[in-house]
Amino acid sequence: SVSGHPQRAFTKCMPSGLLYTATISVFAATRLASRPLLAGPALRQSRGCRLMASVSGVVYAQADVPAVRLFTKEGCTLCDKVRDVLRGVTDRAPHSLEAVDITDEDHAQWLAKYKYDIPVLHLDGAYWTKHRLTEEEALEALAEAGAGAFAARRGEPDAERLERRKEER
């Protein structure tokens, strides 16, 4: 105990959706529970007020077909729509689909790059598209990839570069 008061872990969900955790005295926790908790050096910031499950992994796989990577995160409804479009064309344009959760700790580079633009798709390792995908667009690009003619598209998002530019102004 510190200051003669027993210690306990205290968490508070902030309006921003962040969860702050601190080990403080029970006396202080009782006082803080009735008002907002301010960030300080003894506090640890967490990803959110609810546990977020990773959505990374192979969605479906086939051998010797174009490989699609969907950069996503839990709760992304646009990502779900893109996944549905891709699933709907698998019979006409065979491909594999892997989901990459940009909020996973080991995918920090993708979070830095794509945090404002998911869903983002790569096809055979090259940038393909972002935000939305029609069935026609999927069939066209997958046919290009199947023929070995797919080339990276222009307009790949880069949030980190955008933020640096804003800071320089």
Side-chain angles (χ1 to χ4, degrees):
S1 75
V2 175
S3 304
H5 297 284
Q7 300 287 297
R8 82 167 177 96
F10 179 75
T11 59
K12 180 116 178 146
C13 183
M14 304 303 289
S16 65
L18 294 176
L19 181 71
Y20 289 99
T21 306
T23 302
I24 57 179
S25 74
V26 172
F27 173 75
T30 304
R31 293 182 59 216
L32 287 172
S34 63
R35 62 177 190 250
L37 178 62
L38 301 175
L43 299 176
R44 184 173 50 92
Q45 182 177 319
S46 189
R47 274 196 351 212
C49 293
R50 61 187 172 92
L51 293 176
M52 298 186 66
S54 174
V55 294
S56 288
V58 174
V59 179
Y60 49 85
Q62 297 182 42
D64 302 319
V65 295
V68 178
R69 291 183 90 192
L70 168 62
F71 295 88
T72 184
K73 69 178 184 176
E74 180 186 33
C76 174
T77 57
L78 285 177
C79 302
D80 295 339
K81 290 178 183 180
V82 166
R83 186 181 340 237
D84 291 345
V85 168
L86 289 167
R87 212 176 249 131
V89 301
T90 54
D91 290 344
R92 293 172 282 163
H95 61 278
S96 295
L97 180 60
E98 174 192 7
V100 178
D101 188 329
I102 65 169
T103 65
D104 288 351
E105 287 182 20
D106 58 337
H107 295 145
Q109 77 277 19
W110 300 118
L111 177 63
K113 194 167 187 162
Y114 296 148
K115 63 184 161 188
Y116 303 130
D117 289 295
I118 60 170
V120 172
L121 292 170
H122 286 192
L123 182 53
D124 286 340
Y127 172 73
W128 176 11
T129 191
K130 65 182 179 183
H131 301 164
R132 290 176 174 71
L133 180 69
T134 66
E135 192 172 286
E136 295 76 25
E137 292 167 333
L139 290 170
E140 180 183 325
L142 290 166
E144 286 176 29
F150 181 81
R153 304 299 200 246
R154 295 181 56 168
E156 181 175 11
D158 190 342
E160 194 169 43
R161 187 180 67 204
L162 178 71
E163 289 170 349
R164 277 194 310 271
R165 284 184 182 166
K166 284 183 179 179
E167 289 175 4
E168 292 171 358
R169 291 181 186 166

mmCIF file of all heavy atoms in Angstrom, residues 26-65:
data_model
loop_
_atom_site.group_PDB
_atom_site.id
_atom_site.type_symbol
_atom_site.label_atom_id
_atom_site.label_comp_id
_atom_site.label_asym_id
_atom_site.label_seq_id
_atom_site.Cartn_x
_atom_site.Cartn_y
_atom_site.Cartn_z
ATOM 1 N N VAL A 26 -7.154 2.714 -2.959
ATOM 2 C CA VAL A 26 -8.609 2.568 -2.962
ATOM 3 C C VAL A 26 -9.264 3.912 -2.671
ATOM 4 O O VAL A 26 -10.273 4.268 -3.274
ATOM 5 C CB VAL A 26 -9.051 1.488 -1.943
ATOM 6 C CG1 VAL A 26 -10.557 1.462 -1.798
ATOM 7 C CG2 VAL A 26 -8.519 0.131 -2.360
ATOM 8 N N PHE A 27 -8.654 4.712 -1.808
ATOM 9 C CA PHE A 27 -9.193 6.028 -1.483
ATOM 10 C C PHE A 27 -9.264 6.895 -2.749
ATOM 11 O O PHE A 27 -10.281 7.492 -3.066
ATOM 12 C CB PHE A 27 -8.329 6.709 -0.419
ATOM 13 C CG PHE A 27 -8.715 8.134 -0.141
ATOM 14 C CD1 PHE A 27 -9.856 8.415 0.602
ATOM 15 C CD2 PHE A 27 -7.944 9.179 -0.625
ATOM 16 C CE1 PHE A 27 -10.221 9.726 0.845
ATOM 17 C CE2 PHE A 27 -8.297 10.486 -0.376
ATOM 18 C CZ PHE A 27 -9.447 10.767 0.356
ATOM 19 N N ALA A 28 -8.178 6.934 -3.520
ATOM 20 C CA ALA A 28 -8.152 7.735 -4.745
ATOM 21 C C ALA A 28 -9.112 7.164 -5.787
ATOM 22 O O ALA A 28 -9.790 7.899 -6.491
ATOM 23 C CB ALA A 28 -6.739 7.808 -5.292
ATOM 24 N N ALA A 29 -9.190 5.840 -5.892
ATOM 25 C CA ALA A 29 -10.091 5.227 -6.863
ATOM 26 C C ALA A 29 -11.528 5.601 -6.571
ATOM 27 O O ALA A 29 -12.311 5.859 -7.483
ATOM 28 C CB ALA A 29 -9.924 3.703 -6.850
ATOM 29 N N THR A 30 -11.914 5.642 -5.320
ATOM 30 C CA THR A 30 -13.275 6.014 -4.947
ATOM 31 C C THR A 30 -13.565 7.440 -5.398
ATOM 32 O O THR A 30 -14.627 7.731 -5.926
ATOM 33 C CB THR A 30 -13.470 5.884 -3.423
ATOM 34 O OG1 THR A 30 -13.139 4.556 -3.061
ATOM 35 C CG2 THR A 30 -14.890 6.195 -3.029
ATOM 36 N N ARG A 31 -12.603 8.331 -5.237
ATOM 37 C CA ARG A 31 -12.787 9.721 -5.643
ATOM 38 C C ARG A 31 -12.821 9.856 -7.161
ATOM 39 O O ARG A 31 -13.604 10.619 -7.702
ATOM 40 C CB ARG A 31 -11.673 10.581 -5.055
ATOM 41 C CG ARG A 31 -11.774 10.661 -3.529
ATOM 42 C CD ARG A 31 -10.703 11.540 -2.916
ATOM 43 N NE ARG A 31 -10.800 12.888 -3.457
ATOM 44 C CZ ARG A 31 -9.756 13.669 -3.718
ATOM 45 N NH1 ARG A 31 -8.548 13.242 -3.471
ATOM 46 N NH2 ARG A 31 -9.915 14.868 -4.217
ATOM 47 N N LEU A 32 -11.979 9.103 -7.878
ATOM 48 C CA LEU A 32 -11.904 9.219 -9.330
ATOM 49 C C LEU A 32 -13.087 8.582 -10.042
ATOM 50 O O LEU A 32 -13.431 8.977 -11.143
ATOM 51 C CB LEU A 32 -10.614 8.587 -9.848
ATOM 52 C CG LEU A 32 -9.341 9.379 -9.578
ATOM 53 C CD1 LEU A 32 -8.133 8.544 -9.965
ATOM 54 C CD2 LEU A 32 -9.347 10.682 -10.341
ATOM 55 N N ALA A 33 -13.703 7.608 -9.429
ATOM 56 C CA ALA A 33 -14.798 6.896 -10.078
ATOM 57 C C ALA A 33 -15.960 7.820 -10.397
ATOM 58 O O ALA A 33 -16.748 7.546 -11.293
ATOM 59 C CB ALA A 33 -15.279 5.738 -9.203
ATOM 60 N N SER A 34 -16.076 8.927 -9.700
ATOM 61 C CA SER A 34 -17.204 9.821 -9.920
ATOM 62 C C SER A 34 -16.892 10.951 -10.898
ATOM 63 O O SER A 34 -17.735 11.776 -11.179
ATOM 64 C CB SER A 34 -17.650 10.422 -8.584
ATOM 65 O OG SER A 34 -16.598 11.197 -8.043
ATOM 66 N N ARG A 35 -15.677 11.005 -11.454
ATOM 67 C CA ARG A 35 -15.336 12.050 -12.416
ATOM 68 C C ARG A 35 -14.337 11.500 -13.432
ATOM 69 O O ARG A 35 -13.741 10.446 -13.220
ATOM 70 C CB ARG A 35 -14.784 13.274 -11.706
ATOM 71 C CG ARG A 35 -13.511 13.036 -10.946
ATOM 72 C CD ARG A 35 -13.039 14.373 -10.339
ATOM 73 N NE ARG A 35 -11.717 14.210 -9.821
ATOM 74 C CZ ARG A 35 -11.440 14.217 -8.530
ATOM 75 N NH1 ARG A 35 -12.385 14.407 -7.645
ATOM 76 N NH2 ARG A 35 -10.208 14.057 -8.127
ATOM 77 N N PRO A 36 -14.122 12.219 -14.548
ATOM 78 C CA PRO A 36 -13.200 11.708 -15.568
ATOM 79 C C PRO A 36 -11.790 11.504 -15.026
ATOM 80 O O PRO A 36 -11.339 12.235 -14.164
ATOM 81 C CB PRO A 36 -13.209 12.816 -16.625
ATOM 82 C CG PRO A 36 -14.454 13.568 -16.395
ATOM 83 C CD PRO A 36 -14.750 13.454 -14.914
ATOM 84 N N LEU A 37 -11.142 10.503 -15.553
ATOM 85 C CA LEU A 37 -9.771 10.190 -15.177
ATOM 86 C C LEU A 37 -8.847 10.838 -16.195
ATOM 87 O O LEU A 37 -8.998 10.649 -17.399
ATOM 88 C CB LEU A 37 -9.572 8.671 -15.190
ATOM 89 C CG LEU A 37 -8.195 8.142 -14.867
ATOM 90 C CD1 LEU A 37 -7.785 8.540 -13.453
ATOM 91 C CD2 LEU A 37 -8.182 6.637 -15.008
ATOM 92 N N LEU A 38 -7.915 11.630 -15.754
ATOM 93 C CA LEU A 38 -6.984 12.295 -16.650
ATOM 94 C C LEU A 38 -5.742 11.443 -16.823
ATOM 95 O O LEU A 38 -5.288 10.795 -15.893
ATOM 96 C CB LEU A 38 -6.607 13.671 -16.093
ATOM 97 C CG LEU A 38 -7.781 14.618 -15.878
ATOM 98 C CD1 LEU A 38 -7.300 15.894 -15.211
ATOM 99 C CD2 LEU A 38 -8.466 14.929 -17.189
ATOM 100 N N ALA A 39 -5.184 11.470 -18.007
ATOM 101 C CA ALA A 39 -3.973 10.687 -18.277
ATOM 102 C C ALA A 39 -2.814 11.254 -17.492
ATOM 103 O O ALA A 39 -2.676 12.456 -17.336
ATOM 104 C CB ALA A 39 -3.654 10.716 -19.764
ATOM 105 N N GLY A 40 -1.983 10.404 -16.999
ATOM 106 C CA GLY A 40 -0.812 10.815 -16.244
ATOM 107 C C GLY A 40 0.263 9.763 -16.367
ATOM 108 O O GLY A 40 0.044 8.724 -16.976
ATOM 109 N N PRO A 41 1.421 9.980 -15.788
ATOM 110 C CA PRO A 41 2.533 9.043 -15.970
ATOM 111 C C PRO A 41 2.280 7.657 -15.391
ATOM 112 O O PRO A 41 2.877 6.699 -15.837
ATOM 113 C CB PRO A 41 3.702 9.742 -15.267
ATOM 114 C CG PRO A 41 3.072 10.733 -14.358
ATOM 115 C CD PRO A 41 1.777 11.125 -14.980
ATOM 116 N N ALA A 42 1.389 7.535 -14.414
ATOM 117 C CA ALA A 42 1.144 6.235 -13.805
ATOM 118 C C ALA A 42 0.087 5.449 -14.570
ATOM 119 O O ALA A 42 -0.227 4.327 -14.209
ATOM 120 C CB ALA A 42 0.686 6.410 -12.357
ATOM 121 N N LEU A 43 -0.457 6.028 -15.622
ATOM 122 C CA LEU A 43 -1.553 5.377 -16.340
ATOM 123 C C LEU A 43 -1.026 4.633 -17.565
ATOM 124 O O LEU A 43 -0.066 5.040 -18.193
ATOM 125 C CB LEU A 43 -2.583 6.415 -16.776
ATOM 126 C CG LEU A 43 -3.233 7.185 -15.632
ATOM 127 C CD1 LEU A 43 -4.154 8.244 -16.192
ATOM 128 C CD2 LEU A 43 -4.002 6.250 -14.728
ATOM 129 N N ARG A 44 -1.703 3.561 -17.899
ATOM 130 C CA ARG A 44 -1.356 2.764 -19.065
ATOM 131 C C ARG A 44 -2.534 2.806 -20.022
ATOM 132 O O ARG A 44 -3.667 2.561 -19.632
ATOM 133 C CB ARG A 44 -1.069 1.316 -18.639
ATOM 134 C CG ARG A 44 -0.603 0.438 -19.767
ATOM 135 C CD ARG A 44 -0.181 -0.916 -19.233
ATOM 136 N NE ARG A 44 -1.182 -1.502 -18.374
ATOM 137 C CZ ARG A 44 -2.142 -2.321 -18.796
ATOM 138 N NH1 ARG A 44 -2.230 -2.655 -20.045
ATOM 139 N NH2 ARG A 44 -2.996 -2.828 -17.948
ATOM 140 N N GLN A 45 -2.294 3.147 -21.262
ATOM 141 C CA GLN A 45 -3.360 3.236 -22.248
ATOM 142 C C GLN A 45 -3.537 1.895 -22.947
ATOM 143 O O GLN A 45 -2.582 1.246 -23.310
ATOM 144 C CB GLN A 45 -3.004 4.318 -23.256
ATOM 145 C CG GLN A 45 -4.056 4.539 -24.299
ATOM 146 C CD GLN A 45 -3.647 5.689 -25.206
ATOM 147 O OE1 GLN A 45 -3.140 6.681 -24.741
ATOM 148 N NE2 GLN A 45 -3.870 5.537 -26.473
ATOM 149 N N SER A 46 -4.764 1.507 -23.143
ATOM 150 C CA SER A 46 -5.082 0.261 -23.802
ATOM 151 C C SER A 46 -5.745 0.574 -25.133
ATOM 152 O O SER A 46 -6.051 1.719 -25.424
ATOM 153 C CB SER A 46 -6.010 -0.538 -22.890
ATOM 154 O OG SER A 46 -6.199 -1.826 -23.363
ATOM 155 N N ARG A 47 -6.020 -0.452 -25.986
ATOM 156 C CA ARG A 47 -6.572 -0.212 -27.316
ATOM 157 C C ARG A 47 -8.008 0.249 -27.294
ATOM 158 O O ARG A 47 -8.450 0.908 -28.203
ATOM 159 C CB ARG A 47 -6.502 -1.484 -28.151
ATOM 160 C CG ARG A 47 -5.188 -1.591 -28.803
ATOM 161 C CD ARG A 47 -5.039 -2.538 -29.927
ATOM 162 N NE ARG A 47 -6.028 -3.473 -30.282
ATOM 163 C CZ ARG A 47 -5.768 -4.653 -30.795
ATOM 164 N NH1 ARG A 47 -4.556 -5.027 -30.953
ATOM 165 N NH2 ARG A 47 -6.721 -5.462 -31.151
ATOM 166 N N GLY A 48 -8.785 -0.102 -26.316
ATOM 167 C CA GLY A 48 -10.177 0.293 -26.320
ATOM 168 C C GLY A 48 -10.894 -0.218 -25.114
ATOM 169 O O GLY A 48 -10.330 -0.906 -24.289
ATOM 170 N N CYS A 49 -12.150 0.140 -24.998
ATOM 171 C CA CYS A 49 -12.925 -0.214 -23.815
ATOM 172 C C CYS A 49 -13.484 -1.618 -23.898
ATOM 173 O O CYS A 49 -14.150 -2.073 -22.998
ATOM 174 C CB CYS A 49 -14.052 0.799 -23.615
ATOM 175 S SG CYS A 49 -13.380 2.406 -23.188
ATOM 176 N N ARG A 50 -13.267 -2.277 -24.984
ATOM 177 C CA ARG A 50 -13.684 -3.675 -25.075
ATOM 178 C C ARG A 50 -12.540 -4.454 -25.695
ATOM 179 O O ARG A 50 -11.719 -3.901 -26.411
ATOM 180 C CB ARG A 50 -14.946 -3.813 -25.908
ATOM 181 C CG ARG A 50 -14.799 -3.340 -27.321
ATOM 182 C CD ARG A 50 -16.155 -3.346 -28.018
ATOM 183 N NE ARG A 50 -16.039 -2.724 -29.310
ATOM 184 C CZ ARG A 50 -15.782 -3.379 -30.431
ATOM 185 N NH1 ARG A 50 -15.637 -4.685 -30.424
ATOM 186 N NH2 ARG A 50 -15.675 -2.744 -31.570
ATOM 187 N N LEU A 51 -12.498 -5.716 -25.377
ATOM 188 C CA LEU A 51 -11.458 -6.545 -25.970
ATOM 189 C C LEU A 51 -11.760 -6.705 -27.446
ATOM 190 O O LEU A 51 -12.900 -6.974 -27.827
ATOM 191 C CB LEU A 51 -11.415 -7.917 -25.296
ATOM 192 C CG LEU A 51 -10.962 -7.902 -23.848
ATOM 193 C CD1 LEU A 51 -11.067 -9.305 -23.269
ATOM 194 C CD2 LEU A 51 -9.555 -7.375 -23.727
ATOM 195 N N MET A 52 -10.759 -6.511 -28.263
ATOM 196 C CA MET A 52 -10.951 -6.609 -29.700
ATOM 197 C C MET A 52 -10.257 -7.869 -30.193
ATOM 198 O O MET A 52 -9.057 -8.030 -29.995
ATOM 199 C CB MET A 52 -10.411 -5.370 -30.388
ATOM 200 C CG MET A 52 -11.147 -4.128 -29.949
ATOM 201 S SD MET A 52 -10.681 -2.652 -30.846
ATOM 202 C CE MET A 52 -11.265 -3.046 -32.477
ATOM 203 N N ALA A 53 -11.022 -8.730 -30.823
ATOM 204 C CA ALA A 53 -10.463 -9.963 -31.352
ATOM 205 C C ALA A 53 -9.792 -9.688 -32.685
ATOM 206 O O ALA A 53 -10.279 -8.887 -33.479
ATOM 207 C CB ALA A 53 -11.574 -10.993 -31.533
ATOM 208 N N SER A 54 -8.682 -10.329 -32.925
ATOM 209 C CA SER A 54 -8.005 -10.194 -34.207
ATOM 210 C C SER A 54 -8.833 -10.875 -35.286
ATOM 211 O O SER A 54 -9.407 -11.938 -35.064
ATOM 212 C CB SER A 54 -6.629 -10.837 -34.148
ATOM 213 O OG SER A 54 -6.034 -10.820 -35.429
ATOM 214 N N VAL A 55 -8.874 -10.258 -36.452
ATOM 215 C CA VAL A 55 -9.554 -10.872 -37.582
ATOM 216 C C VAL A 55 -8.548 -11.323 -38.639
ATOM 217 O O VAL A 55 -8.924 -11.611 -39.769
ATOM 218 C CB VAL A 55 -10.621 -9.924 -38.190
ATOM 219 C CG1 VAL A 55 -11.741 -9.682 -37.209
ATOM 220 C CG2 VAL A 55 -10.012 -8.613 -38.647
ATOM 221 N N SER A 56 -7.267 -11.394 -38.252
ATOM 222 C CA SER A 56 -6.226 -11.856 -39.180
ATOM 223 C C SER A 56 -6.340 -13.351 -39.414
ATOM 224 O O SER A 56 -6.699 -14.100 -38.511
ATOM 225 C CB SER A 56 -4.827 -11.559 -38.610
ATOM 226 O OG SER A 56 -4.532 -10.202 -38.647
ATOM 227 N N GLY A 57 -6.000 -13.758 -40.617
ATOM 228 C CA GLY A 57 -5.944 -15.179 -40.929
ATOM 229 C C GLY A 57 -6.431 -15.478 -42.328
ATOM 230 O O GLY A 57 -6.951 -14.615 -43.035
ATOM 231 N N VAL A 58 -6.255 -16.719 -42.722
ATOM 232 C CA VAL A 58 -6.702 -17.165 -44.036
ATOM 233 C C VAL A 58 -8.221 -17.274 -44.006
ATOM 234 O O VAL A 58 -8.793 -17.930 -43.138
ATOM 235 C CB VAL A 58 -6.063 -18.519 -44.403
ATOM 236 C CG1 VAL A 58 -6.633 -19.064 -45.694
ATOM 237 C CG2 VAL A 58 -4.550 -18.381 -44.480
ATOM 238 N N VAL A 59 -8.868 -16.612 -44.948
ATOM 239 C CA VAL A 59 -10.329 -16.685 -45.068
ATOM 240 C C VAL A 59 -10.685 -17.911 -45.901
ATOM 241 O O VAL A 59 -11.536 -18.694 -45.526
ATOM 242 C CB VAL A 59 -10.901 -15.392 -45.684
ATOM 243 C CG1 VAL A 59 -12.417 -15.477 -45.832
ATOM 244 C CG2 VAL A 59 -10.498 -14.180 -44.845
ATOM 245 N N TYR A 60 -10.017 -18.060 -47.044
ATOM 246 C CA TYR A 60 -10.099 -19.273 -47.854
ATOM 247 C C TYR A 60 -8.861 -19.343 -48.725
ATOM 248 O O TYR A 60 -8.248 -18.324 -49.031
ATOM 249 C CB TYR A 60 -11.381 -19.361 -48.699
ATOM 250 C CG TYR A 60 -11.724 -18.128 -49.507
ATOM 251 C CD1 TYR A 60 -11.175 -17.910 -50.761
ATOM 252 C CD2 TYR A 60 -12.610 -17.186 -49.006
ATOM 253 C CE1 TYR A 60 -11.496 -16.789 -51.493
ATOM 254 C CE2 TYR A 60 -12.940 -16.062 -49.729
ATOM 255 C CZ TYR A 60 -12.380 -15.863 -50.987
ATOM 256 O OH TYR A 60 -12.695 -14.749 -51.714
ATOM 257 N N ALA A 61 -8.462 -20.560 -49.085
ATOM 258 C CA ALA A 61 -7.217 -20.732 -49.833
ATOM 259 C C ALA A 61 -7.381 -21.776 -50.920
ATOM 260 O O ALA A 61 -8.127 -22.737 -50.768
ATOM 261 C CB ALA A 61 -6.098 -21.151 -48.889
ATOM 262 N N GLN A 62 -6.680 -21.525 -52.021
ATOM 263 C CA GLN A 62 -6.568 -22.470 -53.120
ATOM 264 C C GLN A 62 -5.128 -22.402 -53.603
ATOM 265 O O GLN A 62 -4.464 -21.382 -53.435
ATOM 266 C CB GLN A 62 -7.507 -22.089 -54.268
ATOM 267 C CG GLN A 62 -8.981 -22.125 -53.915
ATOM 268 C CD GLN A 62 -9.840 -21.780 -55.127
ATOM 269 O OE1 GLN A 62 -9.575 -22.235 -56.234
ATOM 270 N NE2 GLN A 62 -10.851 -20.967 -54.906
ATOM 271 N N ALA A 63 -4.668 -23.454 -54.227
ATOM 272 C CA ALA A 63 -3.293 -23.480 -54.738
ATOM 273 C C ALA A 63 -3.244 -22.891 -56.144
ATOM 274 O O ALA A 63 -4.195 -23.010 -56.917
ATOM 275 C CB ALA A 63 -2.781 -24.912 -54.755
ATOM 276 N N ASP A 64 -2.118 -22.262 -56.458
ATOM 277 C CA ASP A 64 -1.835 -21.757 -57.810
ATOM 278 C C ASP A 64 -2.894 -20.805 -58.351
ATOM 279 O O ASP A 64 -3.293 -20.897 -59.517
ATOM 280 C CB ASP A 64 -1.636 -22.937 -58.776
ATOM 281 C CG ASP A 64 -0.506 -23.846 -58.325
ATOM 282 O OD1 ASP A 64 0.536 -23.322 -57.879
ATOM 283 O OD2 ASP A 64 -0.673 -25.081 -58.404
ATOM 284 N N VAL A 65 -3.353 -19.892 -57.497
ATOM 285 C CA VAL A 65 -4.322 -18.870 -57.913
ATOM 286 C C VAL A 65 -3.845 -17.518 -57.373
ATOM 287 O O VAL A 65 -2.997 -17.460 -56.475
ATOM 288 C CB VAL A 65 -5.751 -19.180 -57.387
ATOM 289 C CG1 VAL A 65 -6.297 -20.454 -58.007
ATOM 290 C CG2 VAL A 65 -5.770 -19.258 -55.869
#
